[in-house]
């Protein structure tokens, strides 16, 4: 959410219903799911269920979520801006099992995380994205940190590898990262009214700034993203709902999400049959949302990503988590099926709030 001061102002405005994520956003999913794109329904009559609430009072702005690849039933999360470079291992009852400090890392505005397997070593790794930039270009560069997933769940410090990034087309705010499960390639999803998916270089460098290149569209104001475990698709979360894509611009379906105070995170379960989604706030909930049987079974584990496109072309089939799949999806539906009138109202209110935040930030600076 940016600096501590700006984040506090944003939260005040959110509480008043003036900024994204407040009552306006909370009311949107029901209406959005009745519009152009058909929302996927849970399989077999299954419904979303509250998996747990975070019990640790230190977890008050959960902004990223990832499922452990080494510890069954464990998920990882981290706080938003204003917190240190720490993350938490959380058990199936919401209790914190271990707290980890990331050495060699800063936490200006950690907005997303991902879990993957390093294709060159087979090692399970975690990624933490310091990519929030509420002033859209105020930062000279952005950092994403990689650590080896801890093999033991006890409080400890982990050494990070830092990768620095710039966008080829200029700085911007972002809250989502995805890592392809087969190639290990990193993608960043911007949080904008006209969002984008950005592709990192195939080989990341620690001795120079890595350039992120735009490879496709993303829905309006994306707050998180994830790849399917089988690499066949990816999911992008917004304040309104979630959308499953084969590739940017190739929408499979929208997925109805539970109403949350400020929807911030999304990831897949290890088996790819459900999504997990969470929110900011003290003792915030994490919900499990089953995927339709047709969707969960449609992306075979042998899916192979297409070659990386040239600059300006649509991106390779990046993997997302098995999320929604339903017929009637309109390819390239930029707003994810949100009614135009609601978008216009939302954009106008949010732009006004953003101006207030920026003015306060300039005065505070």
């Amino acid at each position: 959410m940016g600096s501590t001061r700006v984040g506090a102002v944003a939260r005040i405005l959110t509480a008043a219903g003036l900024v994204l994520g407040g009552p306006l956003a909370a009311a949107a999913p029901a209406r959005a799911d009745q519009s152009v794109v058909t929302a996927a329904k849970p399989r077999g009559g299954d419904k979303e269920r509250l998996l747990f609430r975070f019990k640790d009072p230190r977890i008050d702005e959960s902004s990223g979520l990832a499922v452990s690849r080494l510890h069954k039933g464990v998920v990882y999360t981290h706080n938003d801006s204003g917190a240190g470079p720490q993350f938490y291992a959380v058990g199936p009852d919401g209790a914190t099992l271990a707290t980890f400090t990331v050495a060699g890392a800063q936490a200006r505005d950690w907005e997303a995380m991902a879990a993957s397997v390093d294709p060159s070593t087979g090692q399970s790794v975690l990624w933490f994205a310091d990519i929030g930039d509420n002033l859209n270009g105020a930062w000279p560069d952005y950092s994403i940190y990689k650590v080896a997933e801890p093999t033991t769940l006890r409080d400890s410090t982990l050494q990070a590898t830092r990768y620095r990034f710039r966008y080829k087309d200029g700085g911007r705010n972002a809250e989502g990262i995805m890592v392809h499960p087969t190639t290990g390639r990193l993608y960043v999803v911007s949080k904008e009214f006209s969002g984008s998916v950005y592709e990192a270089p195939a080989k990341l460098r620690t001795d120079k700034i890595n350039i992120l290149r735009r490879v496709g569209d993303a829905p309006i104001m994306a707050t998180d993203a994830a790849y399917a475990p089988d690499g066949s698709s990816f999911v992008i979360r917004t304040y309104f709902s979630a959308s499953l894509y084969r590739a940017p611009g190739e929408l499979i379906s929208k997925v109805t999400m539970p109403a949350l105070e400020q929807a911030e995170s999304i990831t897949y379960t290890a088996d790819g049959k459900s999504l997990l989604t969470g929110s900011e706030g003290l003792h915030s909930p994490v919900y499990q949302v089953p995927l339709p049987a047709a969707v969960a079974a449609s992306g075979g584990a042998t899916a192979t990503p297409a070659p990386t496109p040239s600059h300006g072309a649509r991106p390779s089939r990046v993997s997302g988590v098995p999320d929604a799949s339903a017929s009637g999806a309109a390819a390239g539906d930029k707003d994810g099926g949100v009614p135009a009138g609601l978008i216009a109202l939302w954009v106008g209110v949010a732009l006004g709030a953003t101006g207030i935040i920026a003015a306060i930030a300039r005065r505070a600076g």
Side-chain angles (χ1 to χ4, degrees), residues 226-364:
Y227 283 90
D230 66 4
S232 64
S233 57
F234 65 88
V235 66
I236 298 179
R237 182 74 160 105
T238 71
Y239 287 118
F240 294 123
S241 62
S243 300
L244 180 72
Y245 296 84
R246 287 192 178 87
E250 295 183 24
L251 180 65
I252 299 172
S253 174
K254 288 167 64 279
V255 186
T256 302
M257 289 282 109
L260 295 172
E261 181 179 349
Q262 186 170 329
E264 285 285 332
S265 58
I266 200 162
T267 191
Y268 286 87
T269 54
D271 62 7
K273 295 180 179 180
S274 299
L275 295 170
L276 302 182
T277 188
S279 172
E280 289 190 356
L282 186 63
H283 305 307
S284 60
V286 172
Y287 282 88
Q288 182 172 348
V289 182
L291 296 171
V295 176
S298 64
T302 58
T304 303
T308 301
S310 59
H311 179 59
R314 285 190 172 180
S316 58
R317 170 176 280 190
V318 287
S319 72
V321 179
D323 189 21
S325 160
S327 61
D333 184 13
K334 185 82 166 136
D335 61 16
V338 181
L342 179 59
I343 291 178
L345 174 62
W346 187 50
V347 168
V349 173
L351 283 174
T354 301
I356 295 171
I357 293 172
I360 293 174
R362 283 194 295 270
R363 292 181 63 185

Side-chain angles (χ1 to χ4, degrees), residues 115-365:
S116 69
V117 173
D118 187 325
S120 63
T121 65
Q123 182 181 43
S124 180
V125 296
L126 301 175
W127 303 79
F128 299 92
D130 199 356
I131 56 175
D133 183 357
N134 287 334
L135 299 182
N136 295 303
W139 292 5
D141 56 63
Y142 307 85
S143 295
I144 297 178
Y145 301 96
K146 181 178 74 173
V147 302
E149 182 178 353
T151 56
T152 304
L153 295 179
R154 63 168 180 264
D155 294 1
S156 58
T157 298
L158 307 175
Q159 186 61 47
T161 300
R162 179 192 184 193
Y163 300 104
R164 298 168 64 200
F165 296 89
R166 286 194 190 122
Y167 299 89
K168 184 175 178 60
D169 54 359
R172 60 203 61 249
N173 188 25
E175 292 193 7
I177 60 169
M178 315 183 291
V179 181
H180 194 287
T182 303
T183 66
R185 194 153 194 168
L186 177 73
Y187 295 79
V188 175
V189 180
S190 68
K191 181 184 180 182
E192 302 173 282
F193 294 114
S194 181
S196 300
V197 177
Y198 288 87
E199 184 180 67
K203 182 176 178 57
L204 298 180
R205 299 277 297 269
T206 58
D207 59 341
K208 59 181 291 187
I209 292 178
N210 300 275
I211 302 301
L212 294 165
R213 291 177 166 81
R214 187 183 188 280
V215 291
D217 295 336
I220 184 172
M221 301 303 284
T223 60
D224 203 7
Y227 283 90
D230 66 4
S232 64
S233 57
F234 65 88
V235 66
I236 298 179
R237 182 74 160 105
T238 71
Y239 287 118
F240 294 123
S241 62
S243 300
L244 180 72
Y245 296 84
R246 287 192 178 87
E250 295 183 24
L251 180 65
I252 299 172
S253 174
K254 288 167 64 279
V255 186
T256 302
M257 289 282 109
L260 295 172
E261 181 179 349
Q262 186 170 329
E264 285 285 332
S265 58
I266 200 162
T267 191
Y268 286 87
T269 54
D271 62 7
K273 295 180 179 180
S274 299
L275 295 170
L276 302 182
T277 188
S279 172
E280 289 190 356
L282 186 63
H283 305 307
S284 60
V286 172
Y287 282 88
Q288 182 172 348
V289 182
L291 296 171
V295 176
S298 64
T302 58
T304 303
T308 301
S310 59
H311 179 59
R314 285 190 172 180
S316 58
R317 170 176 280 190
V318 287
S319 72
V321 179
D323 189 21
S325 160
S327 61
D333 184 13
K334 185 82 166 136
D335 61 16
V338 181
L342 179 59
I343 291 178
L345 174 62
W346 187 50
V347 168
V349 173
L351 283 174
T354 301
I356 295 171
I357 293 172
I360 293 174
R362 283 194 295 270
R363 292 181 63 185

Side-chain angles (χ1 to χ4, degrees), residues 1-51:
M1 297 291 292
S3 68
T4 302
R5 182 183 296 270
V6 172
V9 173
R11 286 191 291 276
I12 292 171
L13 293 172
T14 298
L18 296 176
V19 188
L20 316 176
L24 176 61
R31 286 176 287 179
D33 291 333
Q34 297 168 3
S35 62
V36 179
V37 179
T38 302
K41 293 182 172 57
R43 50 191 168 153
D46 289 349
K47 296 181 179 179
E48 67 192 40
R49 69 184 180 94
L50 176 64
L51 199 60

